[in-house]
Amino acid sequence: MIEQTKASDFKTKDIKVLKKLMPYLLKMRARVFFASLFLILAKLANVGVPIALKEIVDALEQSNVLLVLPLGLLFAYGVLKLLSSLFNELRDAIFARVRYHGMHLIALNVFKHLHTLDLSFHLDRRIGGITRDIDRGTQSVSTLLSIFVFNIIPTLFEICLVIGILWVNYDVFFASVSLATVVFYVALTLAITTWRMKYRYEMNDMQSKANSNAVDSLINYETVKYFNREKFEVARYDKTMSNWENVATKSFTSMTALNFVQASVIAAGVTWILIMAARGVVDNTLSLGDMIMIQALLLQLFMPLGSLGIIYRQIKHNFIDMNNLFNLLDKVPKVGNQVNASALKINHAKVEFKRVSFAYPGKSAVLKDISFSIKPGEKVAIVGASGSGKSTLAKLLFRFYDVTSGQILIDNQDIKTCTQDSVQKAIGVVPQDTVMFNETIYYNIAYGKEGASEDEVKKAAKLAFINTFIERLPEGYEALVGERGLKLSGGEKQRLAIARVLLKNPPILIFDEATSALDSYSEKKVQQALNDLAQAHTTLVIAHRLSTVVDADKIILLKDGIIHESGTHQALLAKNGEYAQLWQMQINEKDNEV
């Protein structure tokens, strides 16, 4: 009962995958039509070869064979072989564009869709697993189309032709046994292969897990080294691959059993038919040419059928891979545009948080009834202990998440009712953990503004006080920063990130611990640039070090998800409350360091 349910699930998933694949094929329906036409012509020519061979043998049996050769039939035999090959090649050439264009479109759609999914999806999924699904899924598109056009459809068409010829020209016995052999063979193949599919699912899962572990380990190479965890990483990878090896071995051994069963069915069917054909020749009800033709037709019938088991397994494997790929396309972003969402219109860039509450899925509220505003050109700082909700405020403003309750307004427009793209275009962010593309320094800065000129890029670098460092490098702006920017120090990455945001020059700025990785000299220089910039921009600063926000127009101290204190630096010190205690603690820490 369980196996029947699994088989039913496979069929349902396969049908869904085919439905999703069809629109991509229909985009090139003309090429599909002509490829199908050449496929039919190739098979007609292919089936004509045994018929020509029969006529040749029968002609050679005549008494005057030494005087006259059946040259016309011999030429016809050669032409049919040539036409079969020609039409097959034309089919392949025409269908090549369909295959690769389908791969291109599907890969593009998945890549595009992944960028529309919310932050929580990307935090929950491992990049190695996603890239593996995309790679296997797009490759399966090509493989699946090739199998259908070059194997399944031609084989089915040829089976119909061969059985039809046997039915019309000979005893119904030949056609019936051939059809029964085909049906029995296909039924056994489908049943056994469906049972074996559980091994493929397990292999895929383990391979994805191993790949994810490997990518994760190599990305965090320095951390592995810092904690001498090389043996642990190798052992973890080895354990997953050992499990994969065991399942793969079971899969292969069960495949050999299936191959033997398939060979037995074909051998029994062909032997039975040839015995009856030979008896017909002895009884003079069939000619020698008839027997050779029946044998040639059976060879043409069962040769492609002999590989049907392998083809069917490939189809099922590729259906699994494509299903994983289309599952990515089926993911619905938790944060999206409302129906008829309008573009955000910036007039003054005033930001307001109105009674905002937020909780991550499955967790208690991080923010509770938060209300404050940032006037145009004003700088507001959010401070507090780790986990108090500082960075969450920045993520909500950027619409990585939507508020659980309350509103976030920009120029009196609720950002939930505005398109994500327009909201995010209006905001520039320098995160605490800055990640760079494995490209040149110039590329990473210019990424902030499409079509930025060289002068604009260098001006942004000067404002972020990174230009001197860049100019000292042998390659200058063309120096590669390495994977995730590993060739740069934390301070250098941070200043590049600031330069990138300066180049974007949005009306609203978010600095999430933007100077946390800078040395004192760089911090002072960047703070000066940020202060100049803040005069013309609405700025939200998330800070741990209070010394970086003493000049803020307003400082908000978060504690347990609520606004605990609020005011200017001097006003909060005068209160002698928690902010003052935190300030004194950091001053003492700095004195101790000195």
Side-chain angles (χ1 to χ4, degrees), residues 361-470:
K363 297 183 179 179
S364 56
V366 179
L367 298 173
K368 307 164 191 173
D369 203 30
I370 299 291
S371 296
F372 67 92
S373 63
I374 312 174
K375 296 176 184 177
E378 193 173 51
K379 180 165 76 171
V380 170
I382 310 293
V383 299
S386 297
S388 59
K390 303 189 301 294
S391 293
T392 301
L393 279 173
K395 289 182 173 68
L396 290 174
L397 178 57
F398 198 73
R399 281 207 73 193
F400 273 142
Y401 300 95
D402 279 334
V403 297
T404 306
S405 63
Q407 290 179 303
I408 299 177
L409 307 176
I410 296 178
D411 285 340
N412 296 316
Q413 301 162 82
D414 188 341
I415 61 173
K416 280 182 77 171
T417 66
C418 300
T419 60
Q420 278 184 285
D421 185 61
S422 63
V423 172
Q424 292 168 354
K425 275 184 178 177
I427 301 172
V429 182
V430 178
Q432 181 178 2
D433 182 21
T434 301
V435 178
M436 295 285 154
F437 293 97
N438 190 9
E439 293 282 354
T440 64
I441 289 175
Y442 185 92
Y443 177 92
N444 276 283
I445 298 176
Y447 198 82
K449 180 183 176 182
E450 188 174 354
S453 67
E454 185 177 344
D455 290 339
E456 288 176 311
V457 171
K458 291 184 175 180
K459 182 180 178 182
K462 287 179 182 177
L463 288 173
F465 297 96
I466 189 70
N467 63 309
T468 304
F469 160 76
I470 297 171

Side-chain angles (χ1 to χ4, degrees), residues 276-315:
M276 296 304 295
R279 181 176 293 176
V281 173
V282 172
D283 295 340
N284 289 322
T285 57
L286 294 177
S287 68
L288 185 60
D290 287 322
M291 182 176 176
I292 291 174
M293 175 181 165
I294 290 171
Q295 184 185 25
L297 286 172
L298 290 176
L299 285 174
Q300 287 192 188
L301 178 64
F302 291 122
M303 278 181 64
L305 201 62
S307 61
L308 187 62
I310 297 172
I311 291 169
Y312 180 69
R313 288 192 295 275
Q314 288 180 335
I315 289 173

Side-chain angles (χ1 to χ4, degrees), residues 32-81:
V32 173
F33 170 77
F34 283 110
S36 303
L37 178 63
F38 285 126
L39 181 155
I40 293 170
L41 293 173
K43 286 304 171 186
L44 288 173
N46 203 35
V47 171
V49 170
I51 297 174
L53 187 61
K54 166 195 164 3
E55 298 299 331
I56 291 169
V57 172
D58 286 343
L60 290 172
E61 279 191 303
Q62 303 301 319
S63 58
N64 62 345
V65 66
L66 296 176
L67 300 176
V68 180
L69 282 173
L71 291 176
L73 291 171
L74 290 168
F75 277 118
Y77 178 87
V79 169
L80 286 170
K81 291 286 286 184

Side-chain angles (χ1 to χ4, degrees), residues 522-571:
S522 299
E523 180 185 352
K524 192 172 292 185
K525 290 291 186 181
V526 172
Q527 278 298 131
Q528 181 183 343
L530 296 180
N531 290 339
D532 294 339
L533 189 66
Q535 294 176 9
H537 295 75
T538 303
T539 309
L540 178 67
V541 180
I542 310 298
H544 173 70
R545 284 191 283 185
L546 303 184
S547 59
T548 62
V549 295
V550 293
D551 61 339
D553 297 292
K554 185 192 295 181
I555 299 173
I556 295 172
L557 175 66
L558 286 185
K559 184 178 181 181
D560 299 327
I562 63 172
I563 295 178
H564 193 66
E565 293 179 7
S566 177
T568 63
H569 174 69
Q570 293 300 330

Side-chain angles (χ1 to χ4, degrees), residues 237-281:
Y237 185 77
D238 179 51
K239 182 180 178 181
T240 307
M241 289 303 295
S242 295
N243 292 334
W244 173 86
E245 177 188 339
N246 293 333
V247 176
T249 303
K250 290 178 183 178
S251 177
F252 186 82
T253 51
S254 63
M255 181 183 69
T256 58
L258 174 59
N259 289 340
F260 179 74
V261 171
Q262 291 168 336
S264 300
V265 172
I266 292 175
V270 171
T271 303
W272 192 6
I273 292 172
L274 288 180
I275 288 173
M276 296 304 295
R279 181 176 293 176
V281 173

Side-chain angles (χ1 to χ4, degrees), residues 105-117 122 134 328-329:
L105 290 180
I106 291 174
L108 182 65
N109 282 353
V110 173
F111 185 72
K112 181 180 178 181
H113 184 68
L114 286 172
H115 280 85
T116 68
L117 294 177
H122 291 280
I134 295 173
L328 290 175
L329 280 172

